Amino acid sequence: MQTGENDQAMRKILDMTRLISIVVLGLHFYEVCYGAFAEWHLTAPLSDRLLANIVWTGLFSNFYKAKLIALAFLAIALIGVKGKKDEKQNFRTAFIYLLSGLLFFFISFLVLLVRGKMTVLAGLYMGVTGLGYLLFLSGGTMLSRIIRDKLSGDIFNRDNETFPQEERLLENEFSVNLPTRYWLKGKLRNGWLNIISPQRSTAVIGSPGAGKSYFLIRHFITQHIRKGFSMLVFDFKMPDLSVIAYNTWLKYKGNYKVEPKFYAIDFDNLACSNRCNPLEPSVMLDITDAVESARTILLGLNREWVKKQGDFFVESPINFLTAIIWFLKRYKGGEFCTLPHVIELMQADYDQLFTVLRTEQEIDVLINPFVSAYLRDAVEQLEGQIASAKITMSRIASPQLYYILSGNEFTLDINNPDAPKIVCMGNNPQKIQIYGAVLSLFVNRLLKIINQKNKLKCSLIMDEYPTLVADMIPTIATGRSNLISTCLGIQDASQLRKEYGREAADVIMNIVGNMVVGQVAGDTAKLVSEKIGRIMQDRESLSINRTDTSISKSKQLEAAVPASRISALSSGEFVGLVADTPDQKIELKSFHCEIINDHEALKKEADGYLPLPEIRTINPGIVQRNYLQIKQDVQEIIHEVMEQLLNDPSRVHLVIRKA
């Protein structure tokens, strides 16, 4: 315990020590420069006898002995000095003073080697030595005034915001494991990002250029194919991810019990694209499948309808399209149940269209409002209900799309243990709205088919997921037990809210088990920061007053990764949380690390990739003939149904003839 008396006693001791240093140095000057003192008449018998007695002690047995003793006492005195703290003082200036003082203090003897007048040389010697002494004293005093706790050393608080992370490699038959580097208290350490439960779904979030595809999604593809997964890859920038999937499949297809087939859907490159019918009648078990398909395609083409579901002029076109899909599903066993046939049939005249649709009793409840409006001449209402669907669907009425969507080279049951598949579906950033709607239909039909028991483990890779209108929530919520792993690439939560609405976006963000986040800002950064949680951090405060300096230290719970830090992440640097399993517990679930990619090896591997194979030789004539054939099929359907009704007296009343 410090008291005023203790401080006063300490100051007296230090003053005495400093005085002893000065006295010893003065005696040294008197002994060395005795001749000069004699000329100055500064000697006396008493001082001479005193000096003689001191000589007998051995103090002056060596030229430097007295100087070293004086310097030692000065150093002891400086140790206890408490100077007023000054933020401007630094060690460099203090050491310059100390070293300069020592230099002058010890090389001053060179003055005595010069020939000259004794009094002049003695004055110079004492002046140079005294200068060195004062410089050393000033340097020591400066050291005592330096603030040794440099609070500004870590101006961004990086060291405080580091925390232990998982350094073990935890693998299983489903896991995705990525090597990492992270900082812990100023030291760079190696670790592992272990996504050991991808069935609990993974959200990969980051702004463009954050490294989602290069550092994460590509490894989901390669590691899951290596471990025998069936797979769907939604490739936003075809064929970037598809080429990786194709070449990985070529390398590891022998690892599967049943060798999987590789299929690709690319609307821009028909030669390399397989043909597939998303409205395959064999997997449309009831009319609810037709409803889901109609909803998906219309919401995909009119993204603003996503937030208006339930409105009259949104639900009416969906019911109209559902009726046409289900009619074609029931007509001749679904021989013409394809999206191109649906588009062409809905363009028919109302007389013929409603007559044809009325032949199917299951859809009578769906088309009855339209027929009634037509017969009552409620043209404006009818056009409002139907025209939006017809105009919307006409956007995808192109020969190229018709060609791919009217074929049936593979089915969407990609996790069928007897016929596993790896399917890549490509979008085009220049045609997001058109292609995205059709691909959304593919994805939604596929999600309904694969989410079943006793199927092969399956991985769904969705790059730029918000460009699709696919309801992933049921798959994320229930697909875990069916061994379905989902990886969603998202740029920002606000992008998800824009396309799906706030409620659906919030559900997706909150139910994913694994969250890997690169550079994002705003609400997304705040959300992720809150999910990671808080850690105990050291806090220091400095108080300087006229007489003293006080530094207080404390510990506080603060955000482990603040939102501002997430907003400033570099490419390849990610934060987030991982989920564990009952068999493999992970205590350190949070991470803030840099994922390590072997750039040279990946570049070399990419240089050796084979392009997607050319499936067929295609020319515009083939595509055009298919386009015209679909139109002809629809005309024949209408003609055949009308002829049957006219020749059947019991059903002729179904024919609509409006003057």
Side-chain angles (χ1 to χ4, degrees):
M1 179 177 177
Q2 278 195 333
T3 63
E5 291 81 359
N6 291 340
D7 291 342
Q8 188 175 5
M10 178 60 72
R11 284 197 296 270
K12 288 182 178 180
I13 292 172
L14 295 176
D15 291 342
M16 179 61 70
T17 305
R18 194 159 44 247
L19 180 60
I20 292 172
S21 171
I22 294 172
V23 169
V24 171
L25 186 61
L27 290 173
H28 169 75
F29 288 155
Y30 191 72
E31 189 267 340
V32 172
C33 304
Y34 184 80
F37 277 90
E39 285 195 29
W40 291 331
H41 305 292
L42 295 177
T43 60
L46 179 62
S47 62
D48 291 345
R49 285 197 302 272
L50 179 62
L51 183 61
N53 291 331
I54 294 174
V55 169
W56 280 103
T57 64
L59 179 63
F60 302 123
S61 60
N62 185 284
F63 180 81
Y64 287 106
K65 190 173 184 180
K67 296 179 75 172
L68 288 172
I69 291 173
L71 194 64
F73 274 102
L74 177 60
I76 293 171
L78 290 173
I79 290 174
V81 170
K82 290 185 178 180
K84 181 183 177 182
K85 301 297 182 182
D86 186 355
E87 290 181 311
K88 296 180 180 179
Q89 296 294 346
N90 58 74
F91 284 101
R92 181 180 178 184
T93 304
F95 282 127
I96 289 174
Y97 271 78
L98 287 171
L99 294 175
S100 300
L102 289 173
L103 180 65
F104 283 112
F105 191 76
F106 286 108
I107 69 168
S108 57
F109 79 95
L110 296 175
V111 176
L112 301 177
L113 301 179
V114 179
R115 292 186 178 183
K117 192 174 181 182
M118 183 182 298
T119 54
V120 175
L121 295 178
L124 285 173
Y125 173 71
M126 289 187 289
V128 173
T129 305
L131 176 62
Y133 186 88
L134 292 175
L135 287 173
F136 189 84
L137 176 62
S138 299
T141 305
M142 288 180 183
L143 283 177
S144 69
R145 299 175 66 185
I146 294 173
I147 301 174
R148 289 173 174 77
D149 290 81
K150 291 294 186 182
L151 304 183
S152 60
D154 183 17
I155 59 176
F156 290 109
N157 199 36
R158 291 184 183 274
D159 289 344
N160 252 339
E161 291 168 0
T162 60
F163 50 89
Q165 299 175 39
E166 188 59 70
E167 297 183 357
R168 298 174 297 165
L169 173 59
L170 303 175
E171 288 188 289
N172 58 40
E173 61 174 314
F174 308 105
S175 67
V176 175
N177 305 94
L178 305 171
T180 64
R181 284 193 297 256
Y182 72 98
W183 288 95
L184 180 63
K185 300 301 180 184
K187 294 183 179 180
L188 190 62
R189 301 177 67 92
N190 294 321
W192 284 91
L193 177 56
N194 301 300
I195 302 177
I196 61 174
S197 185
Q199 302 96 318
R200 295 176 64 177
S201 299
T202 305
V204 181
I205 307 172
S207 58
K212 300 189 297 297
S213 300
Y214 181 66
F215 288 95
L216 280 155
I217 294 177
R218 69 175 297 142
H219 295 297
F220 270 83
I221 295 172
T222 57
Q223 294 189 31
H224 274 175
I225 292 178
R226 190 175 72 234
K227 293 182 177 182
F229 278 71
S230 59
M231 184 174 290
L232 167 68
V233 178
F234 172 65
D235 190 353
F236 181 67
K237 292 177 284 190
M238 190 82 173
D240 292 0
L241 298 178
S242 301
V243 168
I244 296 173
Y246 174 67
N247 284 272
T248 307
W249 168 75
L250 289 177
K251 186 176 181 181
Y252 294 109
K253 60 183 178 180
N255 292 359
Y256 292 74
K257 291 182 180 179
V258 177
E259 184 175 303
K261 300 295 183 181
F262 181 89
Y263 298 99
I265 293 179
D266 185 355
F267 299 118
D268 289 329
N269 188 356
L270 301 184
C272 296
S273 178
N274 295 100
R275 303 172 71 191
C276 183
N277 178 17
L279 301 180
E280 170 59 39
S282 62
V283 294
M284 295 184 67
L285 305 181
D286 55 49
I287 197 170
T288 59
D289 292 327
V291 174
E292 290 179 1
S293 299
R295 185 177 299 276
T296 298
I297 193 69
L298 287 176
L299 295 185
L301 290 168
N302 297 278
R303 302 302 290 265
E304 66 276 7
W305 285 10
V306 175
K307 304 172 187 176
K308 299 178 182 178
Q309 295 185 65
D311 288 0
F312 175 77
F313 287 105
V314 172
E315 297 301 325
S316 293
I318 292 174
N319 287 349
F320 177 65
L321 186 57
T322 300
I324 296 176
I325 293 173
W326 194 247
F327 168 80
L328 289 175
K329 194 281 185 194
R330 303 282 293 179
Y331 182 76
K332 289 189 176 181
E335 179 183 352
F336 303 104
C337 186
T338 72
L339 190 58
H341 286 89
V342 169
I343 296 171
E344 290 301 320
L345 181 57
M346 70 191 307
Q347 307 301 324
D349 292 338
Y350 288 154
D351 284 346
Q352 296 177 332
L353 178 59
F354 291 145
T355 298
V356 169
L357 294 180
R358 291 177 75 186
T359 61
E360 180 56 53
Q361 292 183 353
E362 285 188 54
I363 61 175
D364 185 61
V365 68
L366 295 175
I367 64 169
N368 187 56
F370 303 103
V371 175
S372 298
Y374 180 61
L375 294 176
R376 288 186 288 105
D377 290 326
V379 179
E380 292 184 3
Q381 175 186 330
L382 186 65
E383 288 298 328
Q385 292 173 290
I386 296 179
S388 56
K390 295 173 67 174
I391 294 171
T392 297
M393 295 297 289
S394 65
R395 298 179 196 168
I396 55 177
S398 72
Q400 291 80 8
L401 290 174
Y402 276 20
Y403 181 76
I404 290 179
L405 299 175
S406 60
N408 198 21
E409 296 177 358
F410 70 95
T411 55
L412 297 175
D413 56 340
I414 61 174
N415 58 348
N416 184 345
D418 299 324
K421 305 174 187 67
I422 294 173
V423 178
C424 296
M425 297 183 181
N427 206 335
N428 184 334
Q430 308 299 324
K431 304 174 182 178
I432 294 176
Q433 192 171 22
I434 305 303
Y435 291 176
V438 179
L439 292 171
S440 297
L441 179 59
F442 273 111
V443 172
N444 271 319
R445 295 302 306 143
L446 182 142
L447 294 178
K448 184 74 176 291
I449 294 168
I450 65 172
N451 198 5
Q452 301 177 22
K453 298 288 186 183
N454 303 317
K455 297 292 185 178
L456 188 67
K457 55 188 177 183
C458 177
S459 183
L460 306 177
I461 311 296
M462 304 290 183
D463 186 26
E464 302 296 342
Y465 166 67
T467 61
L468 290 172
V469 180
D471 188 7
M472 295 296 302
I473 295 175
T475 304
I476 295 174
T478 64
R480 181 178 61 86
S481 59
N482 296 327
L483 305 183
I484 299 175
S485 302
T486 305
C487 177
L488 304 179
I490 304 168
Q491 290 189 5
D492 192 85
S494 59
Q495 180 195 32
L496 201 60
R497 286 194 293 269
K498 175 179 178 292
E499 303 298 345
Y500 285 87
R502 178 172 291 276
E503 292 182 358
D506 289 345
V507 171
I508 292 174
M509 293 294 291
N510 289 325
I511 66 174
V512 291
N514 305 288
M515 184 172 287
V516 186
V517 183
Q519 183 189 29
V520 291
D523 292 340
T524 308
K526 294 177 183 177
L527 171 66
V528 175
S529 178
E530 291 174 0
K531 277 181 173 286
I532 295 174
R534 297 169 177 263
I535 58 174
M536 194 67 74
Q537 297 184 16
D538 295 327
R539 287 287 179 266
E540 293 185 5
S541 62
L542 175 66
S543 176
I544 303 175
N545 55 36
R546 187 176 60 85
T547 59
D548 197 8
T549 301
S550 63
I551 297 174
S552 61
K553 296 185 179 182
S554 63
K555 289 185 177 291
Q556 295 179 0
L557 273 175
E558 299 288 349
V561 187
S564 58
R565 179 82 68 236
I566 298 174
S567 301
L569 293 176
S570 301
S571 179
E573 192 176 359
F574 294 89
V575 303
L577 292 161
V578 296
D580 59 8
T581 66
D583 299 328
Q584 288 181 295
K585 295 290 187 181
I586 298 179
E587 184 177 353
L588 303 173
K589 296 182 176 66
S590 301
F591 61 88
H592 175 192
C593 60
E594 178 187 0
I595 294 177
I596 302 172
N597 266 358
D598 188 341
H599 304 296
E600 292 298 325
L602 290 176
K603 185 176 183 301
K604 184 178 180 181
E605 182 180 336
D607 291 340
Y609 278 165
L610 298 174
L612 294 180
E614 187 172 298
I615 299 169
R616 63 181 63 82
T617 301
I618 199 77
N619 60 64
I622 296 174
V623 177
Q624 190 65 25
R625 281 196 299 272
N626 179 79
Y627 180 69
L628 296 175
Q629 181 61 50
I630 292 171
K631 288 180 173 291
Q632 181 63 33
D633 291 342
V634 170
Q635 293 301 318
E636 290 177 359
I637 291 172
I638 295 173
H639 177 74
E640 184 175 339
V641 172
M642 293 291 291
E643 187 174 349
Q644 290 175 356
L645 291 177
L646 292 173
N647 294 330
D648 186 351
S650 63
R651 304 178 68 195
V652 71
H653 67 280
L654 297 176
V655 178
I656 298 175
R657 288 194 182 93
K658 187 178 179 185

